[in-house]
């Protein structure tokens, strides 16, 4: 159906059309996800810490001993 329509347009390649379609599908999916996100999920994400001040890594203690 669309193949015939795209072939009638002069100087239009198929790859830009495919790229535009992929971007459009991604954008619509992102909007759908944002609209469907419930308040509990948003509040859970708000409560996550953004800084890593109190985080200790297991590999850090091993690296210090080996030096």
């Amino acid at each position: 159906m669309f193949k015939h329509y795209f072939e009638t347009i002069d100087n239009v390649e198929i790859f830009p059309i495919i790229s535009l379609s992929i971007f459009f599908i991604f954008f619509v999916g992102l909007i759908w996800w944002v609209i469907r996100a419930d308040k509990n999920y948003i509040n859970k994400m708000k409560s996550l810490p953004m800084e890593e001040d109190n985080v200790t890594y297991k590999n850090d203690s091993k690296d210090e001993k080996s030096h």
Side-chain angles (χ1 to χ4, degrees):
M1 179 170 127
F2 290 111
K3 184 177 180 183
H4 176 69
Y5 176 72
F6 290 139
E7 288 175 353
T8 60
I9 301 173
D10 292 332
N11 297 327
V12 173
E13 296 289 328
I14 192 68
F15 294 113
I17 300 298
I18 292 172
S19 298
L20 181 64
S21 301
I22 291 171
F23 174 74
F24 182 74
I25 290 169
F26 173 76
F27 190 70
V28 168
L30 185 64
I31 290 175
W32 177 76
W33 179 80
V34 167
I35 290 172
R36 290 200 28 112
D38 60 345
K39 288 195 172 199
N40 290 334
Y41 179 76
I42 293 172
N43 288 333
K44 181 180 174 184
M45 291 295 124
K46 281 183 184 178
S47 66
L48 292 176
M50 295 295 289
E51 297 177 5
E52 297 183 7
D53 291 339
N54 296 331
V55 178
T56 57
Y57 296 102
K58 294 179 181 177
N59 292 337
D60 287 346
S61 61
K62 290 179 184 177
D63 291 340
E64 289 174 4
K65 291 179 183 178
S66 64
H67 290 288

